[in-house]
Each structure stands twice: as structure tokens, then as C-alpha cells.
């Protein structure tokens, strides 16, 4: 595995591979890898000739009162994991090379970012879309892999690629969970055992909506009310519990047969903000 730090060094290396007809698969991450990240790497390894993973804790997607400084980092351990997974290139840029002093161009989306996480984390998706667009320019992948865990992010990236004619295929991979059902996240490291237990109420609330839908309940207000009640039993502060229709993230009033939906939740357990979701069919 080659570790490359400079955004200028990586493109010519990858371009020469691309010119030889190699398919480049890309997995962008913020590091502190867990099985969720690894599932994306494995899928890329299976489907592509060359696998590139980036690790960069992107400052522009964190709000002023968020956890940029304390976000967990362990590059040494991450490198061992990526070596084992037979990754070809690790891109490990610095903050200074990714955002030079005079950086002033950003990517913004003006519809889907107004709801859910976008509403509670102003500027977050502007930071995400900007860094992903920059990384796509540097890596020029054929395919890029994202987790359903960050559903709104994955759909926004698909929208960016579509709207801005970026020549990359976006692959959305399933959520990997701990045995308990808790969605894996680098931020789970902030949680004590009892907090992890309380966090399970998020998954329970999402499951409850799907059970009710299977029983024939169609009224969104009722579904949201029941699901949020369950989440609140374990969590300290529920930011949102919403049901949206896929793929456009529109807010339906009733569940209709054959359509695809997602139920999404963001809630705090003590100081830790957690997100999770499930996709289902009407
Ligand atoms: P992050 O390092 O948190 O920015 O995540 C990097 C990528 O891994 C994103 O596409 C995430 O959606 C994905 N990811 C994070 N957690 C999980 C998980 N539990 N299951 C599947 N993918 C995940």
C-alpha cells in the first residue's frame, strides 16, 4: 500500500493506471476505521482493480461547537487495517494542503440540505459536498462507495454527481451494526456501556415504524409519534425522527403501496449525537 499525502502527487499515479484500463474504486473516510468502513473497502476491492481510501477529518463539515478537535484519530491502527484489506493507495492529506489559505469556492445544494441533518447542522453538507468534490477531482474514480448509515449524505452526493455531471458511479452500501443492533460509528467510542445501551432506543424506534407499517398503519403522523416516543425512552435529546420518500427526500403524508421510504433519526445520548435510519417499502 502506498501512502500519499500530497494532492498533487496522487493524480498522475492514478491517471496512468486509468489509462491502462484499470477501474479505480474510491472509499472516502475520516479514519478511525471500523467494520462499517471495512465493508465499503471490501466491496470496492471486489468490484475494482485499484482501491483508493482517503482519511481526512474535514474541518469544513464541523460546526463551531462540534467535535472537530476531539474527533477520534488513530492513523497507525488504520494503516494496519487497510494493509490487511489489500488497499492500493491511502490518501492522507493535511488540512493545509486541502484548504490553502485563499480557498473560497464551495459546493452547495439548496433543497435536500434544508431538512434533517442539514437543518440542525448548518453548513455541514456544504463542507461534505466540497470535500467530496475535491477528492473526486484528485482521485478521478470510476466508482465511489458510501454507507447508508449517512443516508442524507449519500443521496446528496448522488445528487451532486448528477447535477454537476461528475463521471463517477456512486454505490450505497448497507449499514453495518454491532451485535446489539447499534449502528457502527467512529463516534460510538465516546459512549460508555450504559450510554450504548440507551442508544439502542434509536434502532428500536426505527424498527417500530417498520413493524407498524407491516401491520397496515399508513398515517405518517402516527408512525412518527410512536417511533419518537420509543427513541425518547433512551435518548436525552431527539433532534428529528422523520419519514421521507426516496429518492427525492420529499415528506409524504401517508405510506403508499410500492413506494420506497426511509425513516431517519438523530438524537443525543449525553453529549454524543447519533444518527441511524432504515429503508422500507410501502
Ligand atoms: P466517516 O469516516 O464517518 O466519514 O464514514 C466514511 C464512510 O463510511 C461513509 O460513507 C459512511 O456512511 C460509511 N459508514 C460509516 N459507518 C458505517 C456503518 N456502520 N455501516 C456502513 N457504512 C458506514
Amino acid at each position: 500500500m502506498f501512502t500519499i499525502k500530497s494532492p498533487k502527487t496522487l493524480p498522475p499515479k492514478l491517471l496512468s493506471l486509468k489509462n491502462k484500463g484499470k477501474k479505480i474504486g474510491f472509499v472516502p473516510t475520516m479514519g478511525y476505521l471500523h467494520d462499517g468502513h471495512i465493508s465499503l473497502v471490501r466491496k470496492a476491492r471486489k468490484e475494482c482493480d485499484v482501491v483508493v481510501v482517503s482519511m481526512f477529518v474535514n474541518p469544513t463539515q464541523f460546526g463551531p461547537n462540534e467535535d472537530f478537535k476531539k474527533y477520534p484519530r488513530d492513523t497507525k491502527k488504520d494503516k494496519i487495517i487497510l494493509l490487511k484489506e489489500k488497499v492500493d493507495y491511502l490518501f492522507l492529506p493535511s488540512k493545509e494542503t486541502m484548504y490553502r489559505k485563499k480557498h473560497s469556492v464551495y459546493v452547495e445544494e439548496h433543497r435536500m440540505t434544508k431538512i434533517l441533518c442539514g437543518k440542525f447542522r448548518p453548513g455541514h453538507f456544504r463542507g461534505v459536498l466540497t470535500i467530496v468534490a475535491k477528492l473526486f477531482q484528485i482521485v478521478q474514480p470510476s466508482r465511489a462507495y458510501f454507507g447508508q448509515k449517512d443516508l442524507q449524505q449519500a443521496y446528496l452526493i448522488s445528487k451532486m454527481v448528477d447535477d454537476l455531471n461528475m463521471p463517477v458511479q456512486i454505490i450505497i452500501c448497507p449499514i453495518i451494526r454491532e451485535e446489539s443492533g447499534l449502528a457502527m460509528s467512529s463516534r460510538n467510542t465516546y459512549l460508555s456501556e450504559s450510554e450504548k445501551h440507551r442508544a439502542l432506543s434509536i434502532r428500536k424506534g426505527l424498527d417500530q415504524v417498520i413493524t407498524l407499517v407491516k401491520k397496515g398503519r399508513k398515517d405518517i403522523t402516527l408512525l412518527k409519534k410512536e417511533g419518537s416516543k420509543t427513541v425518547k425512552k433512551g435518548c436525552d435529546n431527539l433532534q428529528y425522527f422523520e419519514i421521507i420518500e426516496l429518492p427525492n427526500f420529499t415528506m409524504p403524508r401517508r405510506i403508499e403501496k410500492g413506494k420506497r421510504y426511509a425513516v431517519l433519526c438523530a438524537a443525543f445520548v449525553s453529549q454524543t449525537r447519533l444518527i441511524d435510519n432504515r429503508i422500507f417499502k410501502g
Side-chain angles (χ1 to χ4, degrees):
M1 182 174 78
F2 298 102
T3 301
I4 311 268
K5 294 195 170 177
S6 159
K8 286 201 173 123
T9 315
L10 190 60
K13 288 187 193 298
L14 295 177
L15 197 64
S16 77
L17 290 165
K18 237 184 146 175
N19 287 341
K20 284 181 195 149
K22 305 279 186 202
K23 190 186 259 187
I24 296 175
F26 178 42
V27 182
T29 80
M30 297 208 293
Y32 210 75
L33 305 177
H34 51 67
D35 285 355
H37 298 113
I38 295 167
S39 72
L40 309 186
V41 173
R42 289 194 178 154
K43 192 158 168 65
R45 183 71 284 166
K46 221 162 135 188
E47 297 179 353
C48 304
D49 304 304
V50 178
V51 176
V52 182
V53 174
S54 67
M55 297 201 311
F56 179 62
V57 184
N58 174 37
T60 62
Q61 70 188 67
F62 288 80
N65 300 316
E66 293 183 352
D67 56 343
F68 173 68
K69 281 215 173 105
K70 76 162 195 181
Y71 194 84
R73 294 160 169 92
D74 191 343
T75 308
K76 221 168 145 185
K77 190 169 150 225
D78 288 343
K79 276 187 179 174
I80 296 169
I81 294 172
L82 295 177
L83 262 173
K84 226 171 97 193
E85 297 300 326
K86 300 194 167 42
V87 165
D88 299 293
Y89 288 91
L90 166 61
F91 182 46
L92 201 61
S94 68
K95 207 167 70 187
E96 291 71 25
T97 54
M98 286 308 271
Y99 294 104
R100 284 167 300 177
K101 276 204 181 101
K102 287 180 182 160
H103 186 103
S104 62
V105 177
Y106 292 85
V107 181
E108 282 183 9
E109 192 278 350
H110 289 274
R111 191 181 57 79
M112 271 160 68
T113 44
K114 292 200 161 65
I115 56 168
L116 307 169
C117 287
K119 189 168 149 192
F120 291 93
R121 300 184 71 187
H124 168 66
F125 286 121
R126 177 187 192 246
V128 169
L129 294 179
T130 301
I131 195 64
V132 172
K134 282 166 73 67
L135 290 167
F136 282 178
Q137 283 299 111
I138 294 164
V139 177
Q140 306 259 328
S142 316
R143 289 183 176 192
Y145 297 81
F146 294 89
Q148 185 201 314
K149 163 78 177 12
D150 301 275
L151 191 71
Q152 192 177 12
Q153 165 178 290
Y155 272 76
L156 274 164
I157 290 164
S158 301
K159 188 79 172 67
M160 170 179 78
V161 161
D162 216 28
D163 284 0
L164 300 184
N165 307 87
M166 294 178 170
V168 49
Q169 193 183 351
I170 302 300
I171 316 282
I172 303 178
C173 308
I175 302 177
I176 304 298
R177 298 178 178 279
E178 291 180 7
E179 231 175 87
S180 63
L182 182 67
M184 287 197 178
S185 161
S186 307
R187 288 188 171 101
N188 288 355
T189 185
Y190 300 148
L191 301 172
S192 68
E193 280 311 308
S194 71
E195 286 169 341
K196 272 190 172 182
H197 187 73
R198 285 205 281 133
L200 292 178
S201 64
I202 297 176
R203 168 69 199 261
K204 283 185 193 147
L206 301 174
D207 287 353
Q208 192 179 8
V209 166
I210 291 172
T211 309
L212 288 170
V213 171
K214 279 186 184 153
K215 282 186 183 159
R217 311 313 275 273
K218 297 189 185 325
D219 179 54
I220 299 283
T221 312
L222 172 124
L223 293 168
K224 283 181 6 183
K225 195 174 141 212
E226 291 303 316
S228 347
K229 238 196 298 179
T230 302
V231 175
K232 282 181 189 160
K233 281 183 191 156
C235 294
D236 299 305
N237 170 16
L238 174 62
Q239 276 194 337
Y240 65 77
F241 189 95
E242 290 289 350
I243 296 169
I244 56 97
E245 191 181 325
L246 289 170
N248 292 321
F249 277 63
T250 43
M251 303 270 183
R253 293 174 64 174
R254 286 181 73 75
I255 300 293
E256 286 176 45
K257 206 172 167 201
K259 291 192 173 173
R260 282 178 82 231
Y261 301 91
V263 50
L264 305 97
C265 176
F268 280 86
V269 173
S270 300
Q271 305 301 312
T272 306
R273 184 178 183 276
L274 300 167
I275 57 170
D276 199 352
N277 68 81
R278 284 198 66 188
I279 293 176
F280 63 95
K281 243 182 159 180

